[in-house]
Amino acid sequence: MQQTTSVRPILRSKIFLYVTEFFSGMAVMAAELGASRLLAPYFSSSQIVWTIIIGTIMIALALGNMWGGRRADKDPNPDRLYLRILIAAVWIALIPLVGKYIIILISGLLIISVSTNFLVIAAFVSCMIIFVPPLFLLGTVTPGLVKFTTDSLEDNATIVGRLGACNTVGSILGTFLPTFVTIPAAGTFVTFLIFSGLLLALPIIYFAAAKVKRVASAISIVIFVVSAILSPLTGFAFWEGKLTYEGESIYNYLQVKTLADRTILSTNVLFGVQSVTMKQGGLTGLYYDTALAAPALADKADSALILGMGTGTYARQLREYYPNMSIQGVEIDQSITNLAGKYFDEPSDIPVSTYDGRAWLEGSDEKFDVIMVDAYQDITIPFQMSSSEFFTAVREHLNPGGVMVVNMNMISDGEGSINQALQATISSVFNVGTNSESVVMADVEGTTNRELFAKAPSGEHRDSANTVTSANTMQQSAEVSALQRRTEELTGDAALTSYMGTVASRFETVDGPDADESSLVLTDDKAPVELLGMRAIDELIAQQSGPYKEVLRTKGISGLMQMQ
């Protein structure tokens, strides 16, 4: 073994071996975090996707450790180890160039061939193809370095400890730098290139010092340069002709698209629209219009809190139809707030706190007439904003007779559905005592959204004639004539008043959880919202892909390709 390492002078001091372990550990963690950001725009950033990423990478590293140890014992040649590092670095450098195409190809093939667990299967297959090979090769590094670094059994534990420390410190930097520095500043693609470049430098230096593998080194450098030049030319949604903005923040992938009549924000290239502004004002045709029933259902319409402000779509609508209403926004992603002012005409006089919605509630004693909860994206439902404890906090921040409106992204019914759980949880908080019919819901026509309205217990208030009365129950307020009359009284807008009639016609009363013993009430301790959300996504995919599957079954690939 000593003779093997002495062949290459660069390894005699062993410092280069420790440096190799350091940058190898850094590359592994950077690739893992990069994987989450590469997959998130297509499959979400849910705990499910994170579990798949971590699991597949750990499998790759474990297999690499085992195989690398056997190879080091059989053939203790450092040239082979650094060649594997070279291949891993080049592979990681190619991920920003070809990874997105592989993901879309896999998704396209699976969406017409699988019936359930599409997100799990698609994310798993994507990880296996894109990330397992280079991480397997990096898994061989540590056992190889132990073989080349250890001189005798007397100090082998010390050597292993040093290598472990180098790997751990590198992993720490590989964790913090992408999250807080490179991804927010330069994006996911450049992050892959930065850390693959650092990793690539190790074998290039090694082979240059040994004056071997010059052709392989030159080819690797060329591939890296080509990927560095071409990768930034296309984004995650590479099929889009022209985007007004595409970028990333600490929390999200961000895409702004300008259309003839509106500007939209998406944080996922496969699922939905997160915010929209209409260039001529008025109704959007999206779930925000249905949510405008909340002020008319409340006893008063003087103040509103929006948890999940986005680029301020609901705030703009409230300002348009309820100009005297005071509005407070809460948005965790400062980058989205910045886009709101630049592209979406968010009113500058509406305060927006950069905070987690639940944490903001815990730190405030303000009360509001309307609270909108709009923090759910596809299956990425923050569990801490879906529990009975959270909705209790919302209720406590409502004025008497105030209304909470929740945008539930996916229409999903039946036993074990996400909406059944959310509806049961909310009604367990609001349908109590004399306030037993305080929750109603309405599906949004032409979308996958459902809006749920929950009313806090009403106190006495004075009507326009200064007569003390008790507020209407939610069921009475949600009737077509009552909702239209209240909307006309508050806004005077004929178009909105007419639309509220269609909203009221879709209202359904939500029973309490006791009405269905199978209902799951979500709590901080138990809120499996991502697994429940995944079922809803499967249902939506099955509905949308049904025609394509039928064409594939009857006419084959040629028929599928002929579909417009």
Side-chain angles (χ1 to χ4, degrees):
M1 179 176 59
Q2 292 178 339
Q3 293 176 350
T4 303
T5 58
S6 65
V7 172
R8 304 303 181 199
I10 194 173
L11 302 183
R12 288 175 181 169
S13 70
K14 296 187 175 59
I15 294 177
F16 192 75
L17 295 173
Y18 292 123
V19 171
T20 299
E21 183 74 0
F22 173 84
F23 281 104
S24 174
M26 179 186 291
V28 168
M29 291 309 302
E32 184 172 327
L33 289 164
S36 71
R37 296 308 292 261
L38 183 71
L39 297 180
Y42 307 100
F43 304 127
S44 84
S45 58
S46 68
Q47 188 178 24
I48 292 172
V49 175
W50 261 113
T51 300
I52 291 169
I53 292 170
I54 294 172
T56 52
I57 287 178
M58 295 300 289
I59 291 172
L61 291 174
L63 294 175
N65 288 160
M66 293 176 60
W67 186 84
R70 289 200 302 267
R71 292 301 302 171
D73 284 336
K74 291 181 179 180
D75 183 14
N77 183 352
D79 288 7
R80 296 185 183 277
L81 173 64
Y82 281 94
L83 183 60
R84 293 196 292 269
I85 295 174
L86 183 78
I87 296 171
V90 171
W91 190 295
I92 294 172
L94 285 172
I95 289 175
L97 182 62
V98 301
K100 50 187 178 262
Y101 301 104
I102 294 174
I103 291 172
I104 291 299
L105 177 61
I106 291 170
S107 300
L109 293 174
L110 290 177
I111 203 168
I112 59 174
S113 60
V114 302
S115 300
T116 59
N117 298 325
F118 166 78
L119 285 175
V120 171
I121 297 172
F124 178 75
V125 173
S126 297
C127 277
M128 290 294 293
I129 293 176
I130 298 173
F131 293 100
V132 165
L135 273 297
F136 170 83
L137 294 175
L138 290 179
T140 69
V141 172
T142 297
L145 292 178
V146 169
K147 186 75 172 181
F148 307 141
T149 310
T150 304
D151 293 320
S152 68
L153 293 178
E154 293 181 1
D155 64 348
N156 68 320
T158 301
I159 295 298
V160 171
R162 289 174 184 169
L163 288 171
C166 289
N167 186 284
T168 301
V169 173
S171 298
I172 292 171
L173 290 177
T175 300
F176 284 95
L177 288 178
T179 300
F180 294 105
V181 181
T182 61
I183 290 177
T188 298
F189 294 167
V190 175
T191 295
F192 276 116
L193 292 168
I194 289 173
F195 288 94
S196 65
L198 292 172
L199 186 64
L200 181 61
L202 296 171
I204 295 297
I205 293 172
Y206 173 85
F207 290 132
K211 298 180 181 180
V212 296
K213 306 291 184 184
R214 293 176 177 176
V215 174
S217 297
I219 292 173
S220 300
I221 293 172
V222 170
I223 293 174
F224 178 84
V225 172
V226 169
S227 183
I229 293 173
L230 296 181
S231 295
L233 298 182
T234 57
F236 288 95
F238 53 86
W239 56 88
E240 294 286 0
K242 186 177 181 181
L243 295 175
T244 304
Y245 173 85
E246 186 178 33
E248 297 175 75
S249 68
I250 292 178
Y251 299 99
N252 291 295
Y253 159 76
L254 304 170
Q255 179 192 109
V256 177
K257 184 189 298 184
T258 301
L259 303 178
D261 62 336
R262 66 189 67 194
T263 302
I264 62 176
L265 169 74
S266 295
T267 58
N268 191 302
V269 299
L270 295 183
F271 303 108
V273 172
Q274 273 61 56
S275 290
V276 62
T277 182
M278 307 303 293
K279 294 181 179 180
Q280 302 301 322
L283 299 176
T284 65
L286 300 175
Y287 65 87
Y288 307 100
D289 304 342
T290 300
L292 284 172
L297 293 172
D299 289 0
K300 298 186 297 180
D302 296 333
S303 60
L305 169 67
I306 304 172
L307 301 178
M309 182 74 163
T311 61
T313 302
Y314 195 56
R316 283 188 298 275
Q317 287 196 297
L318 290 176
R319 179 56 54 84
E320 179 176 353
Y321 294 108
Y322 298 88
N324 296 323
M325 178 179 281
S326 65
I327 303 169
Q328 169 69 54
V330 180
E331 171 57 53
I332 195 171
D333 196 335
Q334 180 63 49
S335 296
I336 290 180
T337 303
N338 295 339
L339 293 176
K342 186 173 183 180
Y343 298 108
F344 292 86
D345 300 322
E346 183 174 277
S348 58
D349 60 335
I350 295 178
V352 180
S353 296
T354 304
Y355 230 69
D356 172 79
R358 180 165 177 178
W360 192 92
L361 289 177
E362 298 294 341
S364 172
D365 57 3
E366 294 183 61
K367 294 195 174 185
F368 303 87
D369 299 317
V370 173
I371 296 179
M372 184 185 198
V373 179
D374 191 16
Y376 304 163
Q377 300 175 17
D378 48 80
I379 67 166
T380 312
I381 299 178
F383 84 92
Q384 76 275 12
M385 295 184 70
S386 65
S387 64
S388 58
E389 291 88 344
F390 166 71
F391 291 115
T392 298
V394 173
R395 186 191 64 190
E396 292 171 350
H397 282 77
L398 285 170
N399 287 320
V403 169
M404 173 189 73
V405 55
V406 179
N407 172 41
M408 297 191 292
N409 277 11
M410 298 168 286
I411 296 175
S412 175
D413 294 310
E415 185 175 343
S417 68
I418 181 64
N419 282 357
Q420 182 195 52
L422 285 170
Q423 289 163 195
T425 303
I426 293 170
S427 61
S428 73
V429 173
F430 283 85
N431 281 342
V432 292
T434 58
N435 205 49
S436 59
E437 293 183 340
S438 61
V439 183
V440 298
M441 67 182 184
D443 290 345
V444 182
E445 292 182 319
T447 74
T448 61
N449 297 87
R450 171 175 292 166
E451 301 303 292
L452 187 145
F453 302 83
K455 190 170 186 177
S458 299
E460 292 185 335
H461 73 286
R462 294 184 179 274
D463 60 18
S464 56
N466 292 323
T467 303
V468 177
T469 62
S470 62
N472 289 335
T473 66
M474 178 67 109
Q475 191 174 30
Q476 292 171 328
S477 301
E479 293 175 355
V480 173
S481 59
L483 187 61
Q484 287 186 310
R485 183 170 59 252
R486 178 66 169 159
T487 302
E488 173 65 25
E489 174 187 313
L490 292 172
T491 69
D493 187 277
L496 181 63
T497 298
S498 175
Y499 182 74
M500 285 299 106
T502 67
V503 172
S505 68
R506 300 196 300 271
F507 276 140
E508 297 180 28
T509 301
V510 176
D511 296 324
D514 294 338
D516 185 356
E517 295 182 357
S518 66
S519 298
L520 171 65
V521 175
L522 304 174
T523 67
D524 284 349
D525 180 60
K526 185 180 181 181
V529 290
E530 287 159 326
L531 289 175
L532 297 174
M534 186 180 66
R535 296 177 192 172
I537 289 290
D538 282 341
E539 293 172 7
L540 294 175
I541 290 173
Q543 295 172 7
Q544 297 297 321
S545 63
Y548 297 95
K549 291 181 179 179
E550 180 62 22
V551 170
L552 180 65
R553 185 184 67 82
T554 58
K555 298 181 179 180
I557 295 294
S558 60
L560 193 65
M561 295 179 66
Q562 292 173 5
M563 292 187 67
Q564 299 296 324

